[in-house]
mmCIF file of all heavy atoms in Angstrom:
data_model
loop_
_atom_site.group_PDB
_atom_site.id
_atom_site.type_symbol
_atom_site.label_atom_id
_atom_site.label_comp_id
_atom_site.label_asym_id
_atom_site.label_seq_id
_atom_site.Cartn_x
_atom_site.Cartn_y
_atom_site.Cartn_z
ATOM 1 N N GLU A 86 -23.567 -4.393 -9.831
ATOM 2 C CA GLU A 86 -22.726 -3.740 -8.843
ATOM 3 C C GLU A 86 -21.447 -4.546 -8.594
ATOM 4 O O GLU A 86 -21.496 -5.768 -8.454
ATOM 5 C CB GLU A 86 -23.487 -3.564 -7.536
ATOM 6 C CG GLU A 86 -22.795 -2.656 -6.562
ATOM 7 C CD GLU A 86 -23.685 -2.254 -5.415
ATOM 8 O OE1 GLU A 86 -24.057 -3.148 -4.630
ATOM 9 O OE2 GLU A 86 -24.021 -1.069 -5.320
ATOM 10 N N ILE A 87 -20.334 -3.822 -8.528
ATOM 11 C CA ILE A 87 -19.030 -4.416 -8.239
ATOM 12 C C ILE A 87 -18.502 -3.746 -6.986
ATOM 13 O O ILE A 87 -18.516 -2.516 -6.885
ATOM 14 C CB ILE A 87 -18.055 -4.196 -9.413
ATOM 15 C CG1 ILE A 87 -18.565 -4.883 -10.676
ATOM 16 C CG2 ILE A 87 -16.658 -4.689 -9.054
ATOM 17 C CD1 ILE A 87 -17.779 -4.545 -11.928
ATOM 18 N N THR A 88 -18.049 -4.535 -6.035
ATOM 19 C CA THR A 88 -17.497 -3.968 -4.805
ATOM 20 C C THR A 88 -16.069 -4.440 -4.625
ATOM 21 O O THR A 88 -15.722 -5.570 -4.953
ATOM 22 C CB THR A 88 -18.323 -4.377 -3.565
ATOM 23 O OG1 THR A 88 -18.257 -5.784 -3.420
ATOM 24 C CG2 THR A 88 -19.760 -3.933 -3.693
ATOM 25 N N PHE A 89 -15.246 -3.543 -4.106
ATOM 26 C CA PHE A 89 -13.896 -3.897 -3.696
ATOM 27 C C PHE A 89 -13.525 -3.033 -2.514
ATOM 28 O O PHE A 89 -14.138 -1.989 -2.269
ATOM 29 C CB PHE A 89 -12.885 -3.752 -4.846
ATOM 30 C CG PHE A 89 -12.851 -2.402 -5.494
ATOM 31 C CD1 PHE A 89 -12.000 -1.409 -5.045
ATOM 32 C CD2 PHE A 89 -13.661 -2.127 -6.576
ATOM 33 C CE1 PHE A 89 -11.971 -0.170 -5.646
ATOM 34 C CE2 PHE A 89 -13.631 -0.898 -7.191
ATOM 35 C CZ PHE A 89 -12.783 0.094 -6.729
ATOM 36 N N LYS A 90 -12.557 -3.497 -1.735
ATOM 37 C CA LYS A 90 -12.152 -2.737 -0.559
ATOM 38 C C LYS A 90 -10.639 -2.653 -0.473
ATOM 39 O O LYS A 90 -9.922 -3.411 -1.119
ATOM 40 C CB LYS A 90 -12.744 -3.329 0.720
ATOM 41 C CG LYS A 90 -12.283 -4.710 1.080
ATOM 42 C CD LYS A 90 -12.982 -5.165 2.354
ATOM 43 C CE LYS A 90 -12.518 -6.539 2.770
ATOM 44 N NZ LYS A 90 -13.158 -6.984 3.997
ATOM 45 N N THR A 91 -10.184 -1.711 0.331
ATOM 46 C CA THR A 91 -8.744 -1.493 0.486
ATOM 47 C C THR A 91 -8.150 -2.602 1.348
ATOM 48 O O THR A 91 -8.819 -3.172 2.208
ATOM 49 C CB THR A 91 -8.454 -0.136 1.140
ATOM 50 O OG1 THR A 91 -9.121 -0.080 2.406
ATOM 51 C CG2 THR A 91 -8.920 1.010 0.268
ATOM 52 N N ASP A 92 -6.881 -2.884 1.095
ATOM 53 C CA ASP A 92 -6.141 -3.879 1.866
ATOM 54 C C ASP A 92 -4.827 -3.243 2.300
ATOM 55 O O ASP A 92 -3.812 -3.367 1.612
ATOM 56 C CB ASP A 92 -5.899 -5.126 1.015
ATOM 57 C CG ASP A 92 -5.217 -6.229 1.786
ATOM 58 O OD1 ASP A 92 -5.216 -6.170 3.037
ATOM 59 O OD2 ASP A 92 -4.686 -7.156 1.151
ATOM 60 N N PRO A 93 -4.813 -2.528 3.438
ATOM 61 C CA PRO A 93 -3.589 -1.832 3.843
ATOM 62 C C PRO A 93 -2.433 -2.767 4.170
ATOM 63 O O PRO A 93 -1.280 -2.360 4.105
ATOM 64 C CB PRO A 93 -4.002 -1.048 5.097
ATOM 65 C CG PRO A 93 -5.460 -1.205 5.237
ATOM 66 C CD PRO A 93 -5.915 -2.281 4.326
ATOM 67 N N GLU A 94 -2.718 -4.016 4.502
ATOM 68 C CA GLU A 94 -1.648 -4.957 4.835
ATOM 69 C C GLU A 94 -0.732 -5.188 3.636
ATOM 70 O O GLU A 94 0.492 -5.224 3.771
ATOM 71 C CB GLU A 94 -2.258 -6.269 5.309
ATOM 72 C CG GLU A 94 -1.232 -7.283 5.752
ATOM 73 C CD GLU A 94 -1.870 -8.533 6.299
ATOM 74 O OE1 GLU A 94 -3.113 -8.628 6.319
ATOM 75 O OE2 GLU A 94 -1.121 -9.426 6.717
ATOM 76 N N SER A 95 -1.316 -5.331 2.444
ATOM 77 C CA SER A 95 -0.508 -5.558 1.255
ATOM 78 C C SER A 95 -0.478 -4.325 0.351
ATOM 79 O O SER A 95 -0.016 -4.418 -0.784
ATOM 80 C CB SER A 95 -1.053 -6.748 0.471
ATOM 81 O OG SER A 95 -2.353 -6.465 0.018
ATOM 82 N N THR A 96 -0.971 -3.184 0.853
ATOM 83 C CA THR A 96 -1.059 -1.926 0.093
ATOM 84 C C THR A 96 -1.667 -2.162 -1.284
ATOM 85 O O THR A 96 -1.079 -1.815 -2.303
ATOM 86 C CB THR A 96 0.312 -1.226 -0.032
ATOM 87 O OG1 THR A 96 1.201 -2.068 -0.768
ATOM 88 C CG2 THR A 96 0.895 -0.897 1.306
ATOM 89 N N ASP A 97 -2.836 -2.753 -1.285
ATOM 90 C CA ASP A 97 -3.507 -3.096 -2.532
ATOM 91 C C ASP A 97 -5.010 -3.064 -2.293
ATOM 92 O O ASP A 97 -5.474 -2.599 -1.247
ATOM 93 C CB ASP A 97 -3.053 -4.481 -3.002
ATOM 94 C CG ASP A 97 -3.273 -4.708 -4.487
ATOM 95 O OD1 ASP A 97 -3.605 -3.746 -5.191
ATOM 96 O OD2 ASP A 97 -3.110 -5.851 -4.933
ATOM 97 N N TYR A 98 -5.763 -3.557 -3.241
ATOM 98 C CA TYR A 98 -7.211 -3.655 -3.144
ATOM 99 C C TYR A 98 -7.620 -5.124 -3.293
ATOM 100 O O TYR A 98 -6.912 -5.910 -3.895
ATOM 101 C CB TYR A 98 -7.888 -2.838 -4.242
ATOM 102 C CG TYR A 98 -7.691 -1.355 -4.093
ATOM 103 C CD1 TYR A 98 -6.567 -0.732 -4.603
ATOM 104 C CD2 TYR A 98 -8.635 -0.572 -3.438
ATOM 105 C CE1 TYR A 98 -6.384 0.633 -4.469
ATOM 106 C CE2 TYR A 98 -8.467 0.781 -3.300
ATOM 107 C CZ TYR A 98 -7.343 1.388 -3.819
ATOM 108 O OH TYR A 98 -7.164 2.728 -3.676
ATOM 109 N N VAL A 99 -8.789 -5.452 -2.737
ATOM 110 C CA VAL A 99 -9.318 -6.814 -2.806
ATOM 111 C C VAL A 99 -10.693 -6.758 -3.443
ATOM 112 O O VAL A 99 -11.563 -6.000 -2.982
ATOM 113 C CB VAL A 99 -9.420 -7.430 -1.396
ATOM 114 C CG1 VAL A 99 -10.037 -8.811 -1.460
ATOM 115 C CG2 VAL A 99 -8.070 -7.481 -0.735
ATOM 116 N N ALA A 100 -10.898 -7.515 -4.514
ATOM 117 C CA ALA A 100 -12.221 -7.598 -5.143
ATOM 118 C C ALA A 100 -13.121 -8.420 -4.242
ATOM 119 O O ALA A 100 -12.774 -9.534 -3.841
ATOM 120 C CB ALA A 100 -12.116 -8.221 -6.522
#
Side-chain angles (χ1 to χ4, degrees):
E86 192 167 65
I87 298 171
T88 63
F89 55 91
K90 64 181 181 179
T91 57
D92 184 17
E94 183 176 1
S95 63
T96 63
D97 201 10
Y98 293 86
V99 177

